[in-house]
Amino acid sequence: QKEVEQDPGPLSVPEGAIVSLNCTYSNSAFQYFMWYRQYSRKGPELLMYTYSSGNKEDGRFTAQVDKSSKYISLFIRDSQPSDSATYLCAMSPIIQGAQKLVFGQGTRLTINP
Amino acid sequence: NAGVTQTPKFRVLKTGQSMTLLCAQDMNHEYMYWYRQDPGMGLRLIHYSVGEGTTAKGEVPDGYNVSRLKKQNFLLGLESAAPSQTSVYFCASSFPRASQNIQYFGAGTRLSVL
């Protein structure tokens, strides 16, 4: 069993829809949770970053962490075609030192105009 | 700002050939990382470095070697390439702030081993 599980999709939704992306994990030591966005043939770029449990909002994006269920989510409101990309969740068990991230498989998302 | 720059962008090797991938960052980051990305596998850590002259193994280090002779550069070497090393390779760097240890990625190197 992988430490981090993410549905690879693909996921296709119409423009304006609310998108929900999810990851589950098994390591209770994870403290930092991240969502990266990766456009085709590009490197991943950090989208959201949260510590421990709770919600964090940034514009149309909301990240949720439920440590009791070992479950994290990324919500995209009013989705746009420019949101079409692969979304990777990533987690880290330490605060300082080399951040050895563990990534999910990535979910490929397409927003249709 | 260039950020993290990887060279080359593409490469095709024959089995048994060797090559070196170069990663350069201009953000004065202490930490640097090499990942490989394969379909259905996400990103997996190959090797990482916490400073000039230091390296450590990640999740999938076999068949690769690394060197960090200068703070801004992190080299990934394949001594004898195998078809299983066909992948997209990403370099990343980060600055060890306690509150936000964010990794910044390069654009990747696509490697095919025939």
Side-chain angles (χ1 to χ4, degrees), chain A residues 39-99:
Chain A
Y39 290 114
S40 181
R41 295 184 174 267
K42 301 289 185 183
E45 56 178 343
L46 184 71
L47 191 60
M48 298 286 285
Y49 184 100
T50 55
Y51 169 69
S52 195
S53 288
N55 294 357
K56 185 174 183 179
E57 187 173 321
D58 184 2
R60 297 184 293 109
F61 298 90
T62 300
Q64 287 186 352
V65 175
D66 182 350
K67 291 188 70 179
S68 63
S69 301
K70 295 188 178 67
Y71 188 87
I72 70 170
S73 300
L74 177 70
F75 297 96
I76 306 175
R77 293 185 300 279
D78 187 24
S79 55
Q80 304 294 311
S82 59
D83 295 328
S84 298
T86 296
Y87 289 80
L88 300 148
C89 63
M91 307 174 191
S92 172
I94 60 173
I95 299 174
Q96 294 190 7
Q99 187 191 36

Side-chain angles (χ1 to χ4, degrees), chain A residues 2 8 32 34 36 38 40-46 49 56 86 88 94-106, chain B residues 10 31 33 35 37 40-43 45 48 50 57-58 90 94 96-108 110:
Chain A
K2 295 180 180 178
Y32 284 86
M34 284 142 272
Y36 280 84
Q38 185 177 20
S40 181
R41 295 184 174 267
K42 301 289 185 183
E45 56 178 343
L46 184 71
Y49 184 100
K56 185 174 183 179
T86 296
L88 300 148
I94 60 173
I95 299 174
Q96 294 190 7
Q99 187 191 36
K100 295 170 72 173
L101 290 176
V102 180
F103 284 84
Q105 299 96 310
Chain B
F10 306 95
Y31 300 160
Y33 314 80
Y35 292 90
Q37 187 175 35
M41 300 294 290
L43 283 152
L45 183 64
Y48 64 98
V50 299
K57 294 180 180 180
F90 288 100
S94 69
R97 284 193 297 260
S99 59
Q100 274 194 321
N101 202 340
I102 299 169
Q103 290 188 20
Y104 296 85
F105 285 82
R110 291 181 175 274

Side-chain angles (χ1 to χ4, degrees), chain B residues 15-32:
Chain B
T15 298
Q17 287 184 320
S18 63
M19 77 163 295
T20 300
L21 282 66
L22 172 63
C23 177
Q25 53 95 2
D26 63 1
M27 297 175 282
N28 201 34
H29 285 169
E30 288 292 330
Y31 300 160
M32 297 188 74

